[in-house]
Amino acid sequence: RLANDRLVSRARDILADGMEQQLTGDDLAIRMETELGLGDKSWYAETIVRTNLASAYGAGRYSQMTDPTVRALRPFVQFRTVGDARVRHEHRELDDKVFVNGSELHAQYAPPLGFNCRCQMVTISKRQFEARGYALTRSEVLIDGTPYTGDKGWTSPATRIR
């Protein structure tokens, strides 16, 4: 456990330093491989980098969207996938769902929802909501009869956002 904690801590340091230096994702993955001794596991380093960058980006977007000024102008958010064949079943089920901006459901479904998640949330004005005839999602989304809170092995929404 201690060795794993040290590895995670070192990976975070590498990521933070790389982001501060504005390194590309590829450069961060190469640095991660080299400094952590991952050898030919480039896919692993790429997943670590991509997931952490997506998490940082998602947290920043969530913070921007839930700013009181933005919420006043754009009180709704819509979950969107990239719409290709690689979208996971669970994420596809969330596609186009609309939530109240800043609500618990918004926090619960704010991307990323798993490793290599490419989904996003976009803000929607009241006028857009009405003109497009959107329906507001007011409760947890059930997928195959079970409330969905993120991919297996992913952190809980409470620790991802806030």
Short mmCIF file of all heavy atoms in Angstrom, two decimals, residues 114-149:
data_model
loop_
_atom_site.label_atom_id
_atom_site.label_comp_id
_atom_site.label_asym_id
_atom_site.label_seq_id
_atom_site.Cartn_x
_atom_site.Cartn_y
_atom_site.Cartn_z
N GLY A 114 -15.77 8.19 -16.08
CA GLY A 114 -14.97 6.98 -16.10
C GLY A 114 -13.67 7.23 -16.84
O GLY A 114 -13.45 8.32 -17.37
N PHE A 115 -12.83 6.23 -16.85
CA PHE A 115 -11.55 6.34 -17.52
C PHE A 115 -11.77 6.55 -19.02
O PHE A 115 -12.59 5.89 -19.63
CB PHE A 115 -10.70 5.09 -17.27
CG PHE A 115 -10.40 4.91 -15.80
CD1 PHE A 115 -11.09 3.96 -15.06
CD2 PHE A 115 -9.47 5.70 -15.17
CE1 PHE A 115 -10.83 3.80 -13.71
CE2 PHE A 115 -9.20 5.56 -13.81
CZ PHE A 115 -9.89 4.61 -13.09
N ASN A 116 -11.05 7.50 -19.57
CA ASN A 116 -11.12 7.83 -21.00
C ASN A 116 -12.49 8.34 -21.45
O ASN A 116 -12.82 8.26 -22.63
CB ASN A 116 -10.68 6.65 -21.87
CG ASN A 116 -9.23 6.29 -21.63
OD1 ASN A 116 -8.39 7.16 -21.48
ND2 ASN A 116 -8.94 5.00 -21.59
N CYS A 117 -13.28 8.86 -20.53
CA CYS A 117 -14.58 9.43 -20.87
C CYS A 117 -14.37 10.69 -21.71
O CYS A 117 -13.55 11.53 -21.39
CB CYS A 117 -15.34 9.78 -19.59
SG CYS A 117 -16.94 10.57 -19.86
N ARG A 118 -15.15 10.79 -22.79
CA ARG A 118 -15.04 11.93 -23.70
C ARG A 118 -16.32 12.77 -23.70
O ARG A 118 -16.52 13.61 -24.58
CB ARG A 118 -14.73 11.43 -25.12
CG ARG A 118 -13.43 10.64 -25.19
CD ARG A 118 -13.25 9.93 -26.53
NE ARG A 118 -14.30 8.93 -26.70
CZ ARG A 118 -14.91 8.66 -27.86
NH1 ARG A 118 -14.59 9.30 -28.95
NH2 ARG A 118 -15.84 7.74 -27.92
N CYS A 119 -17.19 12.54 -22.74
CA CYS A 119 -18.46 13.25 -22.66
C CYS A 119 -18.27 14.67 -22.15
O CYS A 119 -17.21 15.02 -21.65
CB CYS A 119 -19.41 12.50 -21.74
SG CYS A 119 -19.75 10.81 -22.28
N GLN A 120 -19.33 15.47 -22.29
CA GLN A 120 -19.28 16.84 -21.82
C GLN A 120 -20.66 17.30 -21.37
O GLN A 120 -21.66 16.67 -21.68
CB GLN A 120 -18.77 17.77 -22.91
CG GLN A 120 -19.66 17.81 -24.13
CD GLN A 120 -19.15 18.77 -25.19
OE1 GLN A 120 -18.51 19.78 -24.87
NE2 GLN A 120 -19.44 18.47 -26.44
N MET A 121 -20.68 18.39 -20.64
CA MET A 121 -21.93 19.08 -20.29
C MET A 121 -21.88 20.44 -20.96
O MET A 121 -20.82 21.07 -21.00
CB MET A 121 -22.05 19.30 -18.78
CG MET A 121 -22.40 18.08 -17.98
SD MET A 121 -24.18 17.92 -17.83
CE MET A 121 -24.26 16.70 -16.54
N VAL A 122 -23.02 20.88 -21.46
CA VAL A 122 -23.12 22.23 -22.02
C VAL A 122 -24.24 22.96 -21.30
O VAL A 122 -25.23 22.33 -20.87
CB VAL A 122 -23.38 22.20 -23.54
CG1 VAL A 122 -22.20 21.59 -24.28
CG2 VAL A 122 -24.66 21.47 -23.89
N THR A 123 -24.09 24.26 -21.16
CA THR A 123 -25.13 25.05 -20.50
C THR A 123 -26.23 25.40 -21.51
O THR A 123 -25.99 25.49 -22.71
CB THR A 123 -24.56 26.34 -19.90
OG1 THR A 123 -23.96 27.11 -20.94
CG2 THR A 123 -23.55 26.02 -18.80
N ILE A 124 -27.44 25.60 -20.98
CA ILE A 124 -28.60 25.90 -21.81
C ILE A 124 -29.38 27.04 -21.14
O ILE A 124 -29.63 27.00 -19.93
CB ILE A 124 -29.51 24.66 -21.96
CG1 ILE A 124 -28.75 23.54 -22.67
CG2 ILE A 124 -30.80 25.00 -22.68
CD1 ILE A 124 -29.51 22.24 -22.69
N SER A 125 -29.78 28.01 -21.93
CA SER A 125 -30.60 29.10 -21.41
C SER A 125 -32.05 28.64 -21.26
O SER A 125 -32.45 27.62 -21.85
CB SER A 125 -30.54 30.32 -22.35
OG SER A 125 -31.21 30.02 -23.56
N LYS A 126 -32.83 29.40 -20.53
CA LYS A 126 -34.25 29.08 -20.38
C LYS A 126 -34.95 29.14 -21.74
O LYS A 126 -35.78 28.29 -22.05
CB LYS A 126 -34.91 30.06 -19.40
CG LYS A 126 -36.36 29.74 -19.14
CD LYS A 126 -36.97 30.68 -18.11
CE LYS A 126 -38.42 30.29 -17.90
NZ LYS A 126 -39.12 31.24 -17.06
N ARG A 127 -34.59 30.12 -22.56
CA ARG A 127 -35.19 30.25 -23.89
C ARG A 127 -34.88 29.03 -24.76
O ARG A 127 -35.75 28.49 -25.44
CB ARG A 127 -34.70 31.54 -24.55
CG ARG A 127 -35.39 31.81 -25.89
CD ARG A 127 -35.02 33.14 -26.44
NE ARG A 127 -33.62 33.08 -26.86
CZ ARG A 127 -32.95 34.09 -27.38
NH1 ARG A 127 -33.54 35.25 -27.53
NH2 ARG A 127 -31.70 33.95 -27.74
N GLN A 128 -33.62 28.57 -24.73
CA GLN A 128 -33.25 27.37 -25.49
C GLN A 128 -34.02 26.14 -24.99
O GLN A 128 -34.51 25.33 -25.77
CB GLN A 128 -31.75 27.10 -25.38
CG GLN A 128 -30.88 28.07 -26.13
CD GLN A 128 -29.41 27.86 -25.79
OE1 GLN A 128 -29.04 27.68 -24.63
NE2 GLN A 128 -28.58 27.92 -26.81
N PHE A 129 -34.10 26.02 -23.67
CA PHE A 129 -34.80 24.90 -23.05
C PHE A 129 -36.24 24.83 -23.55
O PHE A 129 -36.74 23.78 -23.96
CB PHE A 129 -34.75 25.05 -21.52
CG PHE A 129 -35.45 23.96 -20.77
CD1 PHE A 129 -34.81 22.77 -20.47
CD2 PHE A 129 -36.77 24.12 -20.36
CE1 PHE A 129 -35.45 21.77 -19.77
CE2 PHE A 129 -37.42 23.13 -19.66
CZ PHE A 129 -36.77 21.94 -19.37
N GLU A 130 -36.92 25.97 -23.53
CA GLU A 130 -38.32 26.02 -23.95
C GLU A 130 -38.48 25.83 -25.45
O GLU A 130 -39.34 25.08 -25.91
CB GLU A 130 -38.95 27.34 -23.50
CG GLU A 130 -39.09 27.42 -21.98
CD GLU A 130 -39.46 28.81 -21.48
OE1 GLU A 130 -39.45 29.79 -22.28
OE2 GLU A 130 -39.73 28.93 -20.27
N ALA A 131 -37.64 26.50 -26.24
CA ALA A 131 -37.75 26.43 -27.70
C ALA A 131 -37.48 25.03 -28.23
O ALA A 131 -38.09 24.60 -29.22
CB ALA A 131 -36.78 27.43 -28.35
N ARG A 132 -36.58 24.32 -27.59
CA ARG A 132 -36.22 22.98 -28.06
C ARG A 132 -37.07 21.87 -27.44
O ARG A 132 -36.91 20.70 -27.77
CB ARG A 132 -34.73 22.73 -27.78
CG ARG A 132 -33.85 23.68 -28.58
CD ARG A 132 -32.41 23.55 -28.24
NE ARG A 132 -31.63 24.57 -28.94
CZ ARG A 132 -30.36 24.84 -28.71
NH1 ARG A 132 -29.69 24.14 -27.81
NH2 ARG A 132 -29.75 25.79 -29.37
N GLY A 133 -37.94 22.26 -26.52
CA GLY A 133 -38.85 21.29 -25.91
C GLY A 133 -38.17 20.24 -25.05
O GLY A 133 -38.62 19.09 -24.99
N TYR A 134 -37.08 20.61 -24.40
CA TYR A 134 -36.37 19.66 -23.55
C TYR A 134 -37.21 19.25 -22.34
O TYR A 134 -38.03 20.03 -21.85
CB TYR A 134 -35.06 20.26 -23.03
CG TYR A 134 -33.99 20.44 -24.08
CD1 TYR A 134 -33.29 21.64 -24.17
CD2 TYR A 134 -33.65 19.42 -24.96
CE1 TYR A 134 -32.28 21.81 -25.11
CE2 TYR A 134 -32.66 19.58 -25.90
CZ TYR A 134 -31.97 20.78 -25.97
OH TYR A 134 -30.98 20.95 -26.90
N ALA A 135 -36.97 18.06 -21.86
CA ALA A 135 -37.58 17.58 -20.62
C ALA A 135 -36.51 17.61 -19.54
O ALA A 135 -35.36 17.23 -19.79
CB ALA A 135 -38.10 16.16 -20.80
N LEU A 136 -36.87 18.06 -18.37
CA LEU A 136 -35.93 18.14 -17.27
C LEU A 136 -35.83 16.80 -16.55
O LEU A 136 -36.85 16.19 -16.21
CB LEU A 136 -36.38 19.23 -16.29
CG LEU A 136 -35.41 19.63 -15.20
CD1 LEU A 136 -34.12 20.19 -15.80
CD2 LEU A 136 -36.06 20.68 -14.29
N THR A 137 -34.63 16.32 -16.34
CA THR A 137 -34.40 15.08 -15.60
C THR A 137 -34.35 15.46 -14.12
O THR A 137 -33.50 16.25 -13.70
CB THR A 137 -33.08 14.42 -16.04
OG1 THR A 137 -33.15 14.15 -17.44
CG2 THR A 137 -32.83 13.12 -15.28
N ARG A 138 -35.27 14.90 -13.34
CA ARG A 138 -35.42 15.30 -11.94
C ARG A 138 -35.01 14.24 -10.93
O ARG A 138 -35.09 14.45 -9.73
CB ARG A 138 -36.87 15.69 -11.67
CG ARG A 138 -37.34 16.88 -12.49
CD ARG A 138 -38.79 17.21 -12.20
NE ARG A 138 -39.27 18.29 -13.02
CZ ARG A 138 -39.16 19.57 -12.71
NH1 ARG A 138 -38.56 19.93 -11.61
NH2 ARG A 138 -39.65 20.49 -13.52
N SER A 139 -34.60 13.08 -11.42
CA SER A 139 -34.17 12.03 -10.49
C SER A 139 -33.01 11.26 -11.11
O SER A 139 -32.70 11.44 -12.28
CB SER A 139 -35.33 11.08 -10.19
OG SER A 139 -35.77 10.45 -11.37
N GLU A 140 -32.38 10.43 -10.28
CA GLU A 140 -31.26 9.63 -10.77
C GLU A 140 -31.66 8.87 -12.03
O GLU A 140 -32.78 8.40 -12.14
CB GLU A 140 -30.79 8.62 -9.72
CG GLU A 140 -29.91 9.21 -8.66
CD GLU A 140 -29.32 8.11 -7.78
OE1 GLU A 140 -30.06 7.18 -7.40
OE2 GLU A 140 -28.13 8.21 -7.48
N VAL A 141 -30.72 8.75 -12.92
CA VAL A 141 -30.96 8.02 -14.16
C VAL A 141 -30.75 6.53 -13.89
O VAL A 141 -29.71 6.13 -13.36
CB VAL A 141 -30.02 8.51 -15.28
CG1 VAL A 141 -30.21 7.68 -16.54
CG2 VAL A 141 -30.27 9.99 -15.56
N LEU A 142 -31.75 5.74 -14.24
CA LEU A 142 -31.65 4.29 -14.09
C LEU A 142 -31.16 3.69 -15.40
O LEU A 142 -31.70 3.98 -16.46
CB LEU A 142 -33.00 3.67 -13.73
CG LEU A 142 -33.63 4.11 -12.41
CD1 LEU A 142 -34.97 3.43 -12.21
CD2 LEU A 142 -32.70 3.83 -11.25
N ILE A 143 -30.15 2.87 -15.30
CA ILE A 143 -29.63 2.17 -16.47
C ILE A 143 -29.69 0.68 -16.15
O ILE A 143 -29.10 0.22 -15.18
CB ILE A 143 -28.21 2.63 -16.81
CG1 ILE A 143 -28.26 4.13 -17.14
CG2 ILE A 143 -27.63 1.81 -17.96
CD1 ILE A 143 -26.93 4.76 -17.41
N ASP A 144 -30.45 -0.03 -16.96
CA ASP A 144 -30.69 -1.45 -16.72
C ASP A 144 -31.25 -1.68 -15.32
O ASP A 144 -30.89 -2.63 -14.64
CB ASP A 144 -29.41 -2.27 -16.95
CG ASP A 144 -28.88 -2.11 -18.37
OD1 ASP A 144 -29.71 -1.96 -19.30
OD2 ASP A 144 -27.65 -2.14 -18.55
N GLY A 145 -32.12 -0.74 -14.88
CA GLY A 145 -32.80 -0.88 -13.59
C GLY A 145 -32.01 -0.44 -12.37
O GLY A 145 -32.50 -0.56 -11.25
N THR A 146 -30.79 0.06 -12.57
CA THR A 146 -29.93 0.44 -11.45
C THR A 146 -29.54 1.91 -11.57
O THR A 146 -29.18 2.35 -12.66
CB THR A 146 -28.65 -0.42 -11.45
OG1 THR A 146 -29.03 -1.80 -11.44
CG2 THR A 146 -27.78 -0.13 -10.25
N PRO A 147 -29.57 2.67 -10.45
CA PRO A 147 -29.12 4.06 -10.53
C PRO A 147 -27.66 4.12 -10.97
O PRO A 147 -26.81 3.40 -10.45
CB PRO A 147 -29.27 4.57 -9.09
CG PRO A 147 -30.23 3.64 -8.44
CD PRO A 147 -30.04 2.32 -9.12
N TYR A 148 -27.39 4.97 -11.94
CA TYR A 148 -26.03 5.09 -12.47
C TYR A 148 -25.32 6.26 -11.80
O TYR A 148 -25.82 7.37 -11.79
CB TYR A 148 -26.07 5.30 -13.98
CG TYR A 148 -24.69 5.47 -14.59
CD1 TYR A 148 -23.82 4.39 -14.66
CD2 TYR A 148 -24.27 6.69 -15.07
CE1 TYR A 148 -22.56 4.53 -15.20
CE2 TYR A 148 -23.01 6.84 -15.62
CZ TYR A 148 -22.16 5.76 -15.68
OH TYR A 148 -20.91 5.91 -16.20
N THR A 149 -24.13 5.98 -11.26
CA THR A 149 -23.35 7.03 -10.59
C THR A 149 -21.93 7.11 -11.13
O THR A 149 -21.07 7.73 -10.52
CB THR A 149 -23.30 6.80 -9.07
OG1 THR A 149 -22.74 5.52 -8.81
CG2 THR A 149 -24.69 6.90 -8.45
#
